[in-house]
C-alpha cells in the first residue's frame, strides 16, 4: 500500500477496512459485538466502575496483540501507559500463561514447529514485548503521548497502545478547566493520528463518575464532555446482576449491543452462560 | 519530571532562549499549553512550536521498561513482595499477602474488626524476618484514637507466645511502631509530608492510616461541597506515590454510611432500573465508593469487612490477583482468626455491597 497524502476514495477504504485485523479480547461474545475485536487504526474508550475489569481487559489486549500471525493474531508488540499503578506484573504473567495454554490447546502440534522468526510461546517473551511507561502527572502524560510519535517510528511492530487510565491526572491536577478541555482535545487528536499513521489500536481506559441528568444521578464516564466526541468506539463495562457485561455504546459501523464476559484466572474469557462452546484464541 | 527545568533539557540554543524569554521554565509550563497558544506566546510559527513540544516531551517523558524487566526487577528486589497476614486463606487469595507499593483499603462498619486487623499487621511488619515478619518499622496514623498498645501486645502474646516470651521483645516490637494522632486534615497532611523522609531514613516497612474517613468528615463539616474533593484527591495521590516510591504497603481503613438518595447507580443505557421499588435492587451499586468513587478506582486491593447471617466475613472485593471471595472470621484475644481457609465465592451485587447486620450499606 503506497503512502497517500491526499484523500482516499471510499472503495479503497472498503478494502482497507476489510483487511484490517482485529485484536481479540479473549471472549467470543465480546469480539462479536466489536465486529471481531478491537480495531486497529481506531481509538477505543473502555470505561467502567472500579473492579469491573478495565485493567484486566487492558492487559489481556496487550497480550493478545502478540498472538503470532500463524495462530491468527497480529504478532505485534504493545505499549502500556500506566497512570495509576494498576499494572501488576504477576497478573500479566498469569494472563500470558493463559493465552499460551489456549493457543497450544487449539494448535496441538505447534510446539513441534520450529519455523524461524516464530515467537517462542513462553510467558517471558510476551512480557518482553510490552513497553511499559509509568507516568505520575498530567505533564508526563502529555509528554509520553507526544513522544509516542517518535517512539512508534522507531518501534514499528507496536500494534496497540493502552492508556490506563486516561483521565486520572486530568481530574485532579488541572486548575483551569477551560484550558483542560483544550489540552485534552489536542491529545485526543494526536491519539487518533497515531492510530491511523501507525496502523495500531489505541485503547483508553476511563473511570466512571456520577452526573445529574434527567432528574437523577447516573453513572457516566469521567470528563465525558471534553472527551466523548474524540473516541471512535466506546465500550462500557458494567454489572448486570451477577455477571459482568460490556455495552458497545458508540461505533461508526456497528449497532449498540451488550454481551457478557468473565474475568478468570487465565484472563478475559466468555462468561459461563455464553453459547460459545469453548474459549477462543482468535 | 513535570518540574524538570527547560534549562536542563539540552535543547538547541535558539529554542532554549525562546522559551526562557517567555518564562516557560519547566516541562509543565510548556506542555500545559495547546499548540496554538504556544505559538502565540512564542510568537513563532507552527514548526517551531512543534519542535519545542517534541523535544520537551522527549526530555520529560519517563523512561520505559519492558514488562519482563519489571518482573525481573521485582524478583530481584525481594521475591515475595507481599506482607503475609498469616490468615492463610486470605493470603492465598491475595497471592501471598498485602501487596507492597500499592494502596490496600480495609472498609467496614464500626466495631467489626478493622483496627484489630491493622494492629496485627503492624505487629507482623515489626517482627523479625526469622519469625515471618518484615523486620521493620511501622507508621500508624491513628485518627480516631483507637490504637491500643496494650491490645497489640496482647495480640502478640497470644498469636506468637514463644516469641513474645523472650525478654524485651515486646518492648522492642512496640518500639518499632510509631503512632501519630493528627487532629485535622492540615495536621495529617503535614505528617504525610514528613513521612516521605522518615520512610526512607528509618526503614519503615508499613504505613497504616486508621481511619481515612474520620479526617475527611472533619473537613466536610466546615467546608463547602466543592472543597471536599480537593484534599481527598491530593491525599490519594500522595499516598499512592509514597507507596510506590518507597515500595511499602499502605493500608487505609474506611467507614461506611447508610445509603442516601443522591447515589447514582446506573448508566443511562440501563433502563428500568431507576425506580427504587425494591430496596434490594439499589444495593447492586457499583459505588463501593468509599470517600467517593475516585477512591474506589484508586485502591489496588479492597478488603470489605462485613457481617451477615450471624457471622463476620472478610471479603476480597477488589484484587488484581483474585476473583471475589469471602472468609468467615472472629475476633479473639489473639486478634483476627479465620474460621475457615476455604473461600466462599462472591458474585454480582454481593461484591460491591457491604453488609452490616442484615442491612446493606455503602462505604462512605
Amino acid at each position: 500500500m503506497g503512502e497517500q497524502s491526499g484523500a482516499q476514495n471510499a472503495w479503497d477504504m472498503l478494502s482497507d477496512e476489510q483487511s484490517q485485523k482485529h485484536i481479540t479480547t479473549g471472549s467470543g461474545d465480546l469480539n462479536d459485538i466489536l465486529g471481531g475485536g478491537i480495531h486497529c487504526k481506531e481509538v477505543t474508550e473502555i470505561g467502567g466502575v472500579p473492579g469491573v475489569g478495565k485493567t484486566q481487559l487492558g492487559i489481556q489486549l496487550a497480550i493478545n496483540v502478540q498472538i503470532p500471525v500463524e495462530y491468527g493474531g497480529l504478532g505485534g508488540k504493545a505499549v502500556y501507559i500506566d497512570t495509576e499503578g494498576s499494572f501488576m506484573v504477576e497478573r500479566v504473567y498469569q494472563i500470558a500463561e493463559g493465552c499460551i495454554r489456549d493457543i497450544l490447546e487449539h494448535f496441538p502440534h505447534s510446539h513441534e514447529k520450529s519455523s524461524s522468526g516464530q515467537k517462542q510461546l513462553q510467558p517471558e517473551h510476551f512480557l518482553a514485548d510490552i513497553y511499559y511507561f509509568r507516568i505520575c502527572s498530567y505533564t508526563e502524560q502529555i509528554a509520553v503521548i507526544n513522544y509516542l510519535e517518535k517512539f512508534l517510528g522507531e518501534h514499528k511492530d507496536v500494534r496497540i497502545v493502552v492508556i490506563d487510565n486516561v483521565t486520572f491526572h486530568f481530574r485532579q491536577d488541572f486548575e483551569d478547566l477551560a484550558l483542560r478541555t483544550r489540552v485534552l482535545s489536542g491529545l485526543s487528536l494526536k491519539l487518533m493520528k497515531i492510530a491511523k499513521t501507525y496502523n495500531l489500536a489505541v485503547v483508553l481506559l476511563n473511570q466512571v463518575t456520577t452526573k445529574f441528568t434527567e432528574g437523577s444521578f447516573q453513572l457516566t464516564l469521567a470528563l465525558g464532555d471534553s472527551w466523548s466526541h474524540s473516541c471512535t468506539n466506546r465500550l462500557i463495562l458494567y454489572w448486570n446482576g451477577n455477571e459482568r457485561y460490556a455495552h458497545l455504546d458508540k461505533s461508526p459501523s456497528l449497532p449498540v449491543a451488550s454481551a457478557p464476559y468473565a474475568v478468570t484466572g487465565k484472563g478475559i474469557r466468555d462468561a459461563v452462560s455464553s453459547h460459545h462452546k469453548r474459549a477462543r484464541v482468535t | 519530571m513535570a518540574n524538570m527545568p527547560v534549562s536542563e533539557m539540552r535543547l538547541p540554543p535558539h529554542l532554549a532562549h525562546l522559551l526562557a524569554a517567555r518564562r516557560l521554565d519547566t516541562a509543565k509550563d510548556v506542555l500545559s499549553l495547546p499548540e496554538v497558544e504556544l505559538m502565540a506566546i512564542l510568537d513563532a510559527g507552527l514548526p517551531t512550536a512543534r519542535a519545542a513540544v517534541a523535544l520537551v516531551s522527549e526530555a520529560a517523558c519517563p523512561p520505559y521498561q519492558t514488562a519482563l524487566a519489571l518482573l525481573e526487577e521485582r524478583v530481584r528486589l525481594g521475591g515475595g513482595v507481599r506482607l503475609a497476614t498469616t490468615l492463610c486463606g486470605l493470603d492465598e487469595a491475595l497471592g501471598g499477602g498485602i501487596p507492597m507499593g500499592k494502596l490496600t483499603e480495609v472498609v467496614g462498619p464500626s466495631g467489626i474488626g478493622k483496627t484489630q486487623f491493622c494492629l496485627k499487621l503492624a505487629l507482623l511488619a515489626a517482627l523479625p524476618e526469622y519469625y515471618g515478619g518484615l523486620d521493620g518499622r511501622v507508621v500508624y496514623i491513628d485518627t480516631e484514637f483507637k490504637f491500643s498498645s496494650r491490645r497489640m501486645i496482647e495480640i502478640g502474646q497470644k498469636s506468637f507466645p514463644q516469641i513474645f516470651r523472650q525478654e524485651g521483645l515486646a518492648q522492642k516490637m512496640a518500639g518499632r511502631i510509631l503512632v501519630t494522632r493528627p487532629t485535622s486534615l492540615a495536621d495529617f497532611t503535614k505528617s504525610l509530608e514528613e513521612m516521605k523522609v522518615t520512610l526512607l531514613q528509618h526503614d519503615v516497612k508499613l504505613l497504616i492510616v486508621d481511619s481515612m474517613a474520620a479526617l475527611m468528615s472533619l473537613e466536610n463539616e466546615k467546608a463547602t461541597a466543592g472543597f471536599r474533593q480537593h484534599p481527598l484527591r491530593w491525599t490519594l495521590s500522595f499516598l499512592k506515590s509514597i507507596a510506590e516510591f518507597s515500595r511499602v504497603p499502605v493500608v487505609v481503613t474506611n467507614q461506611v454510611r447508610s445509603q442516601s438518595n443522591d447515589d447514582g447507580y446506573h448508566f443511562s443505557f440501563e433502563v428500568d432500573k431507576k425506580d427504587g421499588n425494591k430496596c434490594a435492587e439499589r444495593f447492586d451499586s457499583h459505588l463501593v465508593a468509599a470517600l467517593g468513587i475516585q477512591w474506589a478506582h484508586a485502591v489496588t486491593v479492597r478488603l470489605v469487612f462485613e457481617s451477615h447471617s450471624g457471622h463476620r466475613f472478610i471479603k476480597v472485593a477488589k484484587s488484581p490477583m483474585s476473583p471475589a471471595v469471602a472468609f468467615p472470621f472472629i475476633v479473639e484475644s489473639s486478634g483476627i482468626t479465620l474460621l475457615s481457609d476455604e473461600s466462599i465465592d462472591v458474585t454480582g451485587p454481593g461484591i460491591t455491597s457491604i453488609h452490616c447486620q442484615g442491612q446493606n450499606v455503602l462505604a462512605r
Side-chain angles (χ1 to χ4, degrees), chain A residues 45 167 206 209 211 220-229 234:
Chain A
E45 180 184 14
T167 49
N206 198 2
T209 182
K211 184 166 82 166
T220 183
L221 298 194
L223 299 184
D225 300 330
S226 331
W227 198 251
S228 56
H229 52 275
R234 185 180 309 122

Side-chain angles (χ1 to χ4, degrees), chain A residues 49 84-85 88 90-91 127 130 132 134 140 146 150 171 182-183 208 217-219 239 241-242, chain B residues 1 28 32 37 53 57-58 65-68 74 102 233 240 244 262 265-266 274 286 297 320 349:
Chain A
V49 294
E84 267 199 285
M88 293 202 80
E90 300 96 331
R91 180 59 174 153
L127 262 64
I130 299 177
Y132 175 79
R134 173 70 171 103
E140 286 187 1
N146 290 336
K150 182 173 178 196
R171 291 176 80 190
R182 294 198 295 280
V183 168
V208 142
F217 279 95
Q218 285 178 355
L219 292 178
W239 285 101
N242 278 1
Chain B
M1 286 281 185
K28 185 170 173 173
S32 304
E37 287 170 46
V53 167
S57 295
E58 189 172 353
Q65 264 182 308
T66 64
L68 183 61
R74 284 273 258 240
K102 307 280 179 197
R233 283 185 203 167
K240 280 194 104 155
E244 274 190 51
D262 286 348
Y265 306 108
H266 302 286
K274 292 180 203 161
H286 321 300
H297 275 295

